[in-house]
């Protein structure tokens, strides 16, 4: 493999001679394709979107609400709503146009290479299964990717955001619910091996948990929204993706927690050798961590 370019280079022309882009979006146009799509060809939701993301970069795609940032992210991950579709242009991942992929290839791409963390990701956790059971399922799907990450076992590089002392078990109905769910989990199996347990603890430490054992034994309804988001982040990282797309990861956060999330992404970029595409309306905040900041206009075009 060629030498990885220095993070933060601003001269993309010079970088192009060193390494090809991991992601290249070319003349992308997205329009309504379902019912009520008449006239969509003359008025697409976004048009002529062009940008590249190079290996190891953090690139921010910014712009006002409704300009098509999230549509672009969903198109890259093959997760557009059935009512819309790509009507022009190409999306090249690792040199291959991925738009023509059939669903099986899209699933494999999302399973092995591209991870998308969206604002509605919390619905991806099953409320009546422990974090341990759900992460173990993810490990089984990505077993061949596990060995590399296990080298990081036991390290806790990030300052924790939560401590065990700050967590309390709910009483009453919550306690009875936990007993019932624990029994159901035992009957269904789902135990982890010592190696899996150590790896899961390592992953959870990487995303900022001081007491990963507590998190593993918890149910999503016992965790805050921010904690559930970091559990999902750990699940996505367990697959060893090359490209990580975060859609509005700092929305509704105060300045302190926003900075924590952005610092976490910077650290994860180094720990997991990620290429990161950030989707956000917060250009100023993104400029603090991104190597490049791109902007879309309200009409769904790239800012010159």
């Amino acid at each position: 493999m060629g030498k990885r370019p220095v993070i933060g280079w601003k001269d993309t022309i010079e970088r192009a001679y060193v390494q090809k882009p991991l992601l290249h979006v070319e003349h992308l146009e997205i329009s309504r394709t379902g019912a009520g799509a008449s006239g969509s060809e003359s008025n697409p939701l976004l048009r002529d979107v062009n940008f590249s993301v190079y290996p190891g970069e953090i690139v921010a795609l910014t712009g006002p609400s409704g300009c098509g940032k999230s549509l672009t992210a969903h198109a890259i991950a093959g997760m557009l709503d059935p009512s819309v579709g790509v009507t022009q242009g190409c999306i090249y991942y690792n040199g291959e146009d991925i738009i023509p992929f059939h669903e099986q290839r899209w699933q494999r791409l999302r399973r092995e290479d591209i991870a998308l963390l969206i604002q509605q990701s919390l619905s991806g956790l099953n409320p009546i299964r422990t974090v341990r059971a759900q992460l173990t399922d993810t490990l089984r799907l990505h077993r061949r990717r596990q060995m590399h990450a296990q080298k990081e076992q036991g390290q806790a590089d990030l300052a924790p955001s939560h401590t065990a002392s700050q967590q309390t078990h709910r009483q009453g109905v919550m306690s009875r619910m936990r007993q019932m769910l624990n029994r159901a989990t035992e009957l269904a199996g789902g135990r982890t091996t010592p190696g899996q347990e150590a790896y899961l603890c390592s992953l959870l430490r990487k995303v900022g948990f001081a007491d990963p054992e507590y998190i593993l034994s918890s149910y999503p309804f016992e965790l805050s929204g921010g904690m559930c988001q970091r559990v999902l982040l750990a699940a996505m990282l367990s697959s060893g993706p090359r490209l990580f797309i975060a859609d509005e990861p700092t929305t509704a956060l105060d300045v302190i927690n926003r900075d924590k999330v952005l610092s976490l992404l910077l650290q994860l970029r180094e720990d997991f050798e990620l290429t990161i595409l950030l989707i956000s309306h917060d250009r100023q905040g993104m400029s603090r961590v991104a190597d490049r900041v791109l902007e879309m206009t309200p009409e769904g075009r790239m800012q010159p």
Side-chain angles (χ1 to χ4, degrees), residues 233-296:
L233 180 55
M236 292 176 179
L237 292 174
S238 71
S239 69
R242 296 181 64 189
L243 176 64
F244 180 73
I245 306 172
D247 188 2
E248 298 286 3
T250 60
T251 295
L253 297 179
D254 57 39
V255 174
I256 294 176
N257 284 307
R258 181 196 68 184
D259 290 347
K260 285 182 179 179
V261 169
L262 295 177
S263 296
L264 174 62
L265 290 174
L266 280 171
Q267 186 64 52
L268 293 175
R269 187 257 297 266
E270 299 303 319
D271 292 344
F272 292 89
E273 298 183 353
L274 293 174
T275 300
I276 299 177
L277 177 62
L278 296 175
I279 308 296
S280 178
H281 64 276
D282 180 14
R283 180 183 177 90
Q284 183 177 3
M286 295 301 106
S287 65
R288 299 175 59 182
V289 297
D291 300 306
R292 289 185 291 125
V293 179
L294 311 175
E295 189 164 0
M296 294 181 68

Side-chain angles (χ1 to χ4, degrees), residues 49-79:
V49 172
N50 299 274
F51 66 90
S52 297
V53 182
Y54 290 82
E57 272 195 312
I58 296 180
V59 172
L61 183 60
T62 66
S65 297
C67 70
K69 305 183 301 296
S70 294
L71 274 177
T72 302
H74 281 70
I76 294 168
M79 295 176 64

Side-chain angles (χ1 to χ4, degrees), residues 33 84 136 147 199 213 238 267 286:
T33 57
V84 298
T136 301
M147 296 303 296
Y199 174 54
E213 291 83 3
S238 71
Q267 186 64 52
M286 295 301 106

Side-chain angles (χ1 to χ4, degrees), residues 28-39:
L28 181 66
E29 178 182 281
I30 297 177
S31 307
R32 298 193 183 279
T33 57
S38 59

Side-chain angles (χ1 to χ4, degrees), residues 153-196:
Q153 175 182 329
Q155 296 182 2
D157 298 328
L158 300 175
S161 307
H162 298 269
T163 62
S165 62
Q166 293 173 310
Q167 306 299 331
T168 58
H169 291 284
R170 293 175 179 143
Q171 303 299 317
V173 174
M174 195 75 76
S175 179
R176 291 194 296 273
M177 184 182 297
R178 163 174 275 281
Q179 292 174 8
M180 294 171 60
L181 291 172
N182 282 340
R183 179 58 179 160
T185 299
E186 290 175 4
L187 293 173
R191 295 182 178 85
T192 60
T193 66
Q196 288 174 330

Side-chain angles (χ1 to χ4, degrees), residues 5 40 77 79 82 103 120-121 123 145 148-149 208 214 220 225 233 255 269 272:
S40 62
M79 295 176 64
E103 183 56 27
Q120 296 81 20
S121 287
S123 60
R145 295 271 183 148
H148 172 73
Y214 168 79
L233 180 55
V255 174
R269 187 257 297 266
F272 292 89

